[in-house]
Amino acid sequence: NIEEVRGSLHIKPRDLELNNKSERNKQIDLLLEYHGDLINIELNNNSGEGIKERNLVYACSVHASQLEYGDNSYKKINKTIQINLNTKPNSTGLLIDKYNLKNEYNKTYSDKLVIYMIDISLGVDMCYNGTSDKLAKWCYVLTSQTEDELGKYLGDIMNEKEQNQLVDEMNKLSSNEKVIALYSAYSREELERNTLIIEAEEKGIEKGIEKGRQEGI
């Protein structure tokens, strides 16, 4: 319910604590607080194990950041929810996939760290094929390139007043150079690119070893 959320959702600083001197900066995409719980939203334009590990590092960093100097109990830690918006297809074939800490017998270790994987590309495909799923329509909205595309499903998601407020705010932000610079930090792009390069190199080495085995080298 939008009325329950209104006034209770707050934007938090995006900078995480650096773990070593080699890190120039570590910024998450969007961090929100809702009644003490933290919601970290990450937009992933690439896929791969390295990106998954990066997101896990971010989720754990956000979760640990709740403890402040002088706190004397871990019970003060609230829930951390990480939402990964993936523009590349998920291997599960699900629009939304939930992960949390469980053992091999499906017993929950803790419900205070939860990760959701949302397949934006699948949501968009569902819209093209006709769907009543609200999350799928949000996926289409998030990937819209024009105002016409943006408005195609907004009427199914929010009322006219909320639509106009959203469009006005998006127009303001998209023309604000400081905001654009804030969400296009070179260091993060460089780290993500390096992760993908390393993965590609590792796959190339694995293929070379396998080929050598087949040829008896």
Side-chain angles (χ1 to χ4, degrees), residues 20-205:
N20 57 66
K21 293 181 179 179
S22 65
E23 292 182 321
R24 289 165 53 185
N25 62 46
K26 190 161 64 177
Q27 288 185 326
I28 53 184
D29 286 338
L30 179 62
L31 182 60
L32 305 172
E33 181 181 354
Y34 180 64
H35 294 305
D37 293 339
L38 295 179
I39 304 171
N40 177 33
I41 301 175
E42 293 293 321
L43 177 61
N44 303 310
N45 291 317
N46 295 294
S47 60
E49 292 302 317
I51 302 302
K52 290 181 182 178
E53 294 300 326
R54 181 205 68 185
N55 288 335
L56 181 59
V57 168
Y58 285 178
C60 292
S61 296
V62 169
H63 197 55
S65 71
Q66 296 184 52
L67 280 179
E68 298 180 356
Y69 183 79
D71 285 345
N72 58 7
S73 174
Y74 287 107
K75 289 186 177 181
K76 292 184 177 181
I77 292 182
N78 293 310
K79 181 177 285 189
T80 296
I81 301 170
Q82 176 148 311
I83 302 174
N84 295 320
L85 304 174
N86 303 315
T87 60
K88 300 293 184 181
N90 295 332
S91 58
T92 62
L94 300 173
L95 177 59
I96 181 169
D97 203 9
K98 178 183 178 182
Y99 296 84
N100 52 16
L101 297 174
K102 292 186 176 183
N103 68 6
E104 59 183 314
Y105 304 107
N106 207 36
K107 183 178 179 180
T108 300
Y109 179 83
S110 172
D111 61 357
K112 288 191 174 182
L113 180 59
V114 182
I115 297 176
Y116 289 95
M117 306 283 281
I118 297 177
D119 188 339
I120 292 182
S121 61
L122 177 58
V124 172
D125 288 342
M126 289 171 63
C127 288
Y128 284 135
N129 294 324
T131 180
S132 59
D133 191 295
K134 186 174 288 188
L135 177 58
K137 292 176 181 179
W138 267 116
C139 291
Y140 186 94
V141 168
L142 289 173
T143 57
S144 299
Q145 300 293 317
T146 65
E147 277 198 36
D148 287 341
E149 290 181 355
L150 180 64
K152 185 173 182 179
Y153 290 110
L154 278 184
D156 298 333
I157 298 172
M158 58 185 66
N159 61 46
E160 186 175 355
K161 180 181 178 181
E162 292 167 342
Q163 292 179 57
N164 292 334
Q165 289 176 337
L166 176 61
V167 172
D168 288 344
E169 192 65 23
M170 291 181 68
N171 286 333
K172 289 177 185 177
L173 293 175
S174 63
S175 60
N176 188 318
E177 293 183 1
K178 289 183 179 180
V179 172
I180 294 172
L182 186 66
Y183 283 90
S184 58
Y186 172 74
S187 60
R188 170 162 178 179
E189 291 179 356
E190 182 182 38
L191 178 60
E192 190 167 311
R193 185 168 57 251
N194 288 342
T195 300
L196 294 172
I197 290 173
I198 291 172
E199 287 183 2
E201 290 175 346
E202 289 176 347
K203 289 179 180 178
I205 292 172

Side-chain angles (χ1 to χ4, degrees), residues 205-217:
I205 292 172
E206 289 175 1
K207 288 181 179 179
I209 293 173
E210 182 60 29
K211 184 178 180 180
R213 285 175 181 167
Q214 293 175 357
E215 295 178 355
I217 297 176

